[in-house]
Amino acid sequence: MSPTKTATSPRVDASAVETKVRPDIGRRQVYAVAGCYFVASFAALGLPPYLTEILPELGDGAARWAGLLYIVPTIFGAIGAPLWGRLADRFGRKRLLLRAQLGLAAAFLLAGWADSIGTFATALVIQGVLGGTFAASNGYLGAALEGHALSRALTLMQGSARAALVCAPIVVGSLTPWLSPHRQYALLAVLPLAAAAMLAALPEPPRSRPAPPQATTAEAEADGTPVVEATAEPSGRAPAASLRALYAIEFAFVFSTVISFPYLIALIKERIPGTGPMVSGILFALPHMCYLIAAIPVHSLFRGRPRLGIALGFGCIALGLAGHGIADSLTSFVAVRLVLGAGLTLGLVCMSVLAADCAKGRAPGGLFGSIEFFSKAGAVAAGVAAAAGNDWFGPTAPVLTGTAIALVTGLATALPRLPRTLRTRRSLRCPR
């Protein structure tokens, strides 16, 4: 009998479910998109930690507005991401990706030459509204790639984000003796301009995907075996429930990881008095370094079972954040940061796999714009929760809140696996 089964068969072999790569872009173009995102993210990720030094130059001596201004680009980025994604599907992904890079450049120039808090805040609003380079880049890749190739490209994009998050604050700090962080905004506007010039040479991916050959939807079981449902949508799209689950996981993941960022340095100084800024910075960067080292191997291991990887990732995040609550030495902080890094890597990689699955048959601009909305919403919620928890209970509260959210989400992700496995075994024992 042929190894390929019909649409009414309950299962097909994994080898029968093909992942296709469109001929429009190759590996060089994928690396070019990731590299452009990396250089364009320098100011966006490297300068906000220095708001407490920037605001006194603009008249806010106590930097009281630092907390609010820190999340302004995130809030407006969340609002604009779905709209820009839909416009990209309509008018072209390359065009909207160029728009995002040029929007960042304009915002950075205005921020660098701002002479008041009002003008600076306006620049940050423009950065949020006109930026969105991550969602735009993912939408571009989603229009040109499918399946395994797309999930690997999304993993690479997350690597670019982690690398920028590690390197940018160090570079900004190194330039500070010669140029204030405020004026560095104008200098670093050159980077998104350079990225736009490079992206202009890339091809425009197709605006629509061909219909899949069969009117079925392939869903990955928790153990990685694709299942073809006879009741699947004729468009070949991922079920709406899977898409909602992806949005919920994205929100919870960003919330549980970002909530530890704002007050980590304060927690380290409280537990290990005398810790220098360099050591604190290395501890902050450790989870992101884990991703840079382990992302590709993790992708190879879990690309067939992303839900298992996400459940394990949330478990590691919960364990790592809980460890922050009791860590009281440099060794223990290194250990819990590495555990958190393992969870960060598992979660980000496996969410990229899920996103690639959900992209099949969908307009990629709208999909990745919506994912970006929930990601930024999680970051904003985490910032608010961290500030409230720190004010009421001290710097330990944010990591304990993140622990609870990660634990609940990890259990919710893992538990559906058991009923599905039991249903499958029961149906095999008692055929109808």
Side-chain angles (χ1 to χ4, degrees):
M1 185 174 65
S2 173
T4 304
K5 301 195 178 180
T6 63
T8 57
S9 301
R11 288 183 179 270
V12 293
D13 294 331
S15 59
V17 180
E18 298 180 354
T19 56
K20 299 179 181 179
V21 181
R22 295 180 180 272
D24 301 85
I25 68 171
R27 182 173 297 179
R28 290 183 181 179
Q29 286 78 16
V30 172
Y31 281 110
V33 173
C36 288
Y37 175 72
F38 172 78
V39 299
S41 300
F42 251 75
L45 297 177
L47 286 168
Y50 294 89
L51 283 176
T52 51
E53 297 183 23
I54 293 173
L55 293 182
E57 297 181 22
L58 300 174
D60 182 12
R64 291 174 298 177
W65 292 97
L68 177 61
L69 293 178
Y70 193 94
I71 62 173
V72 162
T74 306
I75 293 174
F76 284 91
I79 294 172
L83 172 63
W84 289 122
R86 286 192 288 270
L87 290 176
D89 292 327
R90 182 174 181 181
F91 296 107
R93 285 92 185 190
K94 176 182 173 180
R95 188 176 300 173
L96 271 292
L97 178 54
L98 288 172
R99 184 273 320 155
Q101 298 285 2
L102 295 175
L104 273 186
F108 293 162
L109 283 172
L110 181 59
W113 295 110
D115 56 2
S116 67
I117 290 182
T119 306
F120 187 76
T122 300
L124 296 182
V125 171
I126 293 174
Q127 176 187 329
V129 172
L130 296 184
T133 53
F134 190 71
S137 299
N138 286 348
Y140 178 91
L141 294 172
L145 304 172
E146 291 182 357
H148 168 57
L150 177 57
S151 67
R152 190 178 176 90
L154 297 179
T155 299
L156 179 64
M157 285 296 299
Q158 284 288 354
S160 294
R162 302 303 121 189
L165 194 59
V166 170
C167 299
I170 298 173
V171 173
V172 171
S174 301
L175 292 175
T176 297
W178 295 277
L179 188 66
S180 72
H182 177 206
R183 300 305 179 191
Q184 285 187 46
Y185 265 106
L187 174 64
L188 295 181
V190 173
L191 295 178
L193 286 175
M198 183 182 297
L199 290 169
L202 296 182
E204 173 69 55
R207 296 189 183 182
S208 61
R209 295 181 179 275
Q214 294 182 353
T216 57
T217 298
E219 286 187 325
E221 283 274 323
D223 62 359
T225 305
V227 177
V228 178
E229 303 269 352
T231 58
E233 298 180 31
S235 63
R237 294 180 178 181
S242 298
L243 201 55
R244 289 195 295 268
L246 175 62
Y247 293 154
I249 290 170
E250 182 77 25
F251 179 93
F253 182 85
V254 173
F255 181 95
S256 59
T257 52
V258 170
I259 196 171
S260 66
F261 290 177
Y263 300 101
L264 176 65
I265 304 301
L267 181 64
I268 292 172
K269 290 182 177 179
E270 178 185 282
R271 299 289 177 79
I272 318 175
T275 303
M278 179 176 293
V279 174
S280 299
I282 292 173
L283 288 174
F284 182 90
L286 268 181
H288 310 293
M289 294 178 182
C290 289
Y291 183 93
L292 295 175
I293 294 170
I296 297 302
V298 168
H299 181 270
S300 299
L301 287 173
F302 287 93
R303 70 187 186 191
R305 39 188 181 272
R307 283 188 174 273
L308 174 61
I310 288 173
L312 292 175
F314 274 111
C316 290
I317 290 170
L319 184 61
L321 289 177
H324 283 66
I326 59 175
D328 58 359
S329 67
L330 180 59
T331 301
S332 58
F333 263 105
V334 169
V336 297
R337 295 299 287 171
L338 290 176
V339 173
L340 182 63
L344 186 80
T345 303
L346 283 165
L348 288 173
V349 169
C350 293
M351 284 193 301
S352 294
V353 176
L354 283 185
D357 289 342
C358 288
K360 295 175 182 176
R362 294 184 181 274
L367 172 65
F368 289 106
S370 297
I371 292 174
E372 185 74 356
F373 170 82
F374 285 97
S375 174
K376 290 186 180 300
V380 172
V384 173
N390 181 74
D391 289 344
W392 294 340
F393 304 107
T396 305
V399 296
L400 296 180
T401 303
T403 299
I405 296 298
L407 189 59
V408 169
T409 310
L411 289 174
T413 305
L415 287 179
R417 184 184 181 188
L418 180 59
R420 184 182 301 170
T421 302
L422 291 176
R423 285 198 307 270
T424 302
R425 290 176 179 172
R426 190 180 301 116
S427 64
L428 291 176
R429 286 196 304 266
C430 305
R432 296 181 179 178

